[in-house]
Amino acid sequence: AAMAGCGWARAVRGLLLDVSGVLYDSGADGGVPIAGSVEAVRRIKASGLKLQLCTNETQATRESFVRKLRAMGFDVSVAEVTAPAPAACRLLRERGLRPHLLVHDDLVAEFAEVDRTNPNCVVLGDAAENFTYANLNEAFRLLIGMEKPVLISLGKGRYYKETDGLKLDVGAYMKALEYACDIQAEVVGKPAKTFFESALAELGVPPEQAIMIGDDIENDVGGAQQCGMRALQVRTGKYRPSDENHPKVKPDAYVNNLAEAVDIILQQL
């Protein structure tokens, strides 16, 4: 019955995969792969479909992130990862911005080439334990003191799932700074259209031949659909049954997990 009405699976040349909640659930212990997902990635590659990981992961450099995924058995490379920090670095350079970083310690290395003296903007990532009152207040004071405050946020997720439960994400802190300073942050990462467009460019596939698979109804599914892609919601990761009644976003399909999505897509090839 699951295979009926799978028109959404046709004419696919590339897949964009969200990582946390689709490939694995993160956790203090490094996390655990979601059942069937290691094999699903292997099958995607064997089928000749192109693959790009489109992640808002900002707790690690792409290199260490990929090392962790490879240790779990995923056959992925740094070139196959589209992540917010490198996109932010491009934007900072293009606009002559010098960031004050409120990010996870493990992400700082991604900004090694960027001038950070005398900051004229704030870059916010998923800083986890670094989201202290003192650190947030420092970012607030810098922003409120700027003539034209610029706040760049590496994503705007509300929460994500770790092995021990849900965790507040960068979007909650972004909103706090927006509210305190009466400004609007610029989001680099999902669901920004430019971020999906660069992932598609790296994939080398037009949007109508690509499918995004994610666990975040707004940032993954909604964001991808706005770019003209099909998008599937997996019932893993932070998925909650209430997502299926979302007022604005209707996925092209629901699948129990990545393995089931790949089964259906490969049957249509």
Side-chain angles (χ1 to χ4, degrees):
M3 301 299 167
C6 292
W8 59 262
R10 297 205 172 89
V12 183
R13 284 178 49 217
L15 299 179
L16 288 181
L17 303 184
D18 172 43
V19 180
S20 176
V22 174
L23 297 189
Y24 82 115
D25 282 319
S26 57
D29 47 1
V32 292
I34 290 168
S37 58
V38 169
E39 176 68 2
V41 168
R42 198 190 61 70
R43 292 177 65 207
I44 291 166
K45 295 216 160 170
S47 74
L49 287 173
K50 293 182 167 181
L51 171 75
Q52 192 74 16
L53 306 183
C54 190
T55 178
N56 272 6
E57 169 68 42
T58 57
Q59 283 197 17
T61 61
R62 281 170 304 164
E63 286 73 15
S64 64
F65 183 53
V66 164
R67 261 201 309 278
K68 181 169 85 171
L69 289 173
R70 292 185 73 88
M72 288 184 200
F74 291 103
D75 173 20
V76 292
S77 66
V78 172
E80 291 170 316
V81 178
T82 305
C89 289
R90 272 200 305 278
L91 180 148
L92 294 167
R93 277 197 295 273
E94 282 162 14
R95 289 170 40 190
L97 291 170
R98 300 180 304 279
H100 167 78
L101 299 177
L102 177 42
V103 300
H104 199 283
D105 293 340
D106 295 341
L107 191 72
V108 174
E110 288 272 22
F111 294 88
E113 309 293 305
V114 175
D115 180 7
R116 287 155 56 196
T117 55
N118 188 21
N120 57 3
C121 74
V122 168
V123 170
L124 194 63
D126 177 13
E129 306 301 325
N130 281 354
F131 278 134
T132 60
Y133 176 77
N135 287 348
L136 276 166
N137 202 52
E138 185 186 9
F140 159 72
R141 284 179 170 173
L142 279 166
L143 286 167
I144 204 89
M146 290 173 192
E147 200 178 331
K148 290 208 175 93
V150 176
L151 172 60
I152 292 165
S153 187
L154 306 179
K156 63 175 208 183
R158 293 181 170 139
Y159 53 84
Y160 53 92
K161 181 170 181 264
E162 290 207 329
T163 47
D164 64 347
L166 299 177
K167 300 283 169 105
L168 275 177
D169 201 355
V170 63
Y173 301 94
M174 175 192 93
K175 287 290 183 190
L177 290 172
E178 281 186 335
Y179 181 61
C181 302
D182 196 20
I183 56 172
Q184 281 246 256
E186 299 176 43
V187 177
V188 176
K190 297 177 294 191
K193 201 161 190 232
T194 49
F195 189 67
F196 279 108
E197 283 166 353
S198 59
L200 282 166
E202 288 167 33
L203 195 61
V205 167
E208 59 279 2
Q209 295 182 339
I211 293 180
M212 172 77 199
I213 303 175
D215 70 329
D216 186 316
I217 185 91
E218 288 182 7
N219 291 322
D220 295 332
V221 176
Q225 287 176 335
Q226 279 174 357
C227 289
M229 270 185 267
R230 286 161 279 176
L232 309 185
Q233 166 89 38
V234 289
R235 295 188 178 103
T236 56
K238 73 168 97 167
Y239 162 84
R240 302 165 85 188
S242 59
D243 293 343
E244 305 206 19
N245 305 314
H246 194 280
K248 294 195 200 68
V249 184
K250 296 276 171 277
D252 289 83
Y254 291 93
V255 288
N256 288 322
N257 48 44
L258 177 63
E260 183 182 62
V262 170
D263 275 343
I264 298 169
I265 290 163
L266 296 187
Q267 281 178 6
Q268 300 285 338
L269 285 185

